[in-house]
Amino acid sequence: MVNAAAVNVLAGLGKAGWTVPQAVAYEIAQEGIRQAIGYYSELIAAEEATGEPDAAAIAGWRAEQQAWAARGQQLTPVDTRAIKRVRADADDLLSVEVDDEDDDSDEDDSDEDDSDEDDDEDSDLEDSDDSDDDEDDEMDDEALERS
């Protein structure tokens, strides 16, 4: 027979000192750190696959990986400033710039078709919004008449 009280290690931990939004932001920042480390792993692997790998570049990327790993170890859920910095730095590192100049004319045509459909949907939404406003006005009028 197992002593459940002795095995339940969570019972002694107590309540967390951070909120759910702080915990979520922390986890997102940690994911950004893991993505950054993976990004440098990809660069290292690609460089090592070349005929003559650049040892200095590989060493620099490994140093970046270590720096990101250290940031992850130092991060806490209550340090919102550090979390914001990590998220911004990871976003800057990992974001991809889109070059609109290379688009084919066919893609531009399809975008125009999509915008027409969006306009129809928007007008449907506007119509339904108007009816909601009318209903609200009627309810307000009824409430005033009762009082």
Side-chain angles (χ1 to χ4, degrees), residues 97-105 107-108 111:
E97 291 187 28
V98 178
D99 185 12
D100 291 336
E101 294 178 19
D102 294 338
D103 290 344
D104 293 339
S105 60
E107 290 178 14
D108 292 340
D111 289 345

Side-chain angles (χ1 to χ4, degrees), residues 33-137:
I33 289 168
R34 290 188 289 273
Q35 293 287 326
I37 292 169
Y39 169 78
Y40 288 111
S41 294
E42 180 67 27
L43 294 177
I44 292 166
E47 186 63 31
E48 288 176 339
T50 63
E52 293 181 30
D54 183 350
I58 292 172
W61 293 327
R62 286 202 172 117
E64 287 294 328
Q65 283 181 313
Q66 291 172 349
W68 278 98
R71 288 178 81 176
Q73 290 173 344
Q74 296 166 357
L75 201 60
T76 66
V78 294
D79 191 353
T80 56
R81 286 186 184 169
I83 288 170
K84 287 179 182 179
R85 278 194 307 271
V86 164
R87 291 179 65 184
D89 292 347
D91 188 47
D92 289 344
L93 177 67
L94 302 170
S95 60
V96 178
E97 291 187 28
V98 178
D99 185 12
D100 291 336
E101 294 178 19
D102 294 338
D103 290 344
D104 293 339
S105 60
D106 294 342
E107 290 178 14
D108 292 340
D109 293 341
S110 66
D111 289 345
E112 290 173 10
D113 293 340
D114 291 344
S115 67
D116 292 342
E117 291 173 11
D118 291 342
D119 291 343
D120 293 342
E121 290 174 11
D122 289 343
S123 64
D124 291 343
L125 289 175
E126 289 171 4
D127 292 343
S128 66
D129 289 345
D130 291 342
S131 64
D132 288 344
D133 290 342
D134 292 342
E135 290 173 13
D136 290 342
D137 291 341

Side-chain angles (χ1 to χ4, degrees), residues 6-22:
V7 176
N8 189 357
V9 294
L10 297 177
L13 290 178
K15 188 172 178 155
W18 50 84
T19 65
V20 171
Q22 285 174 316

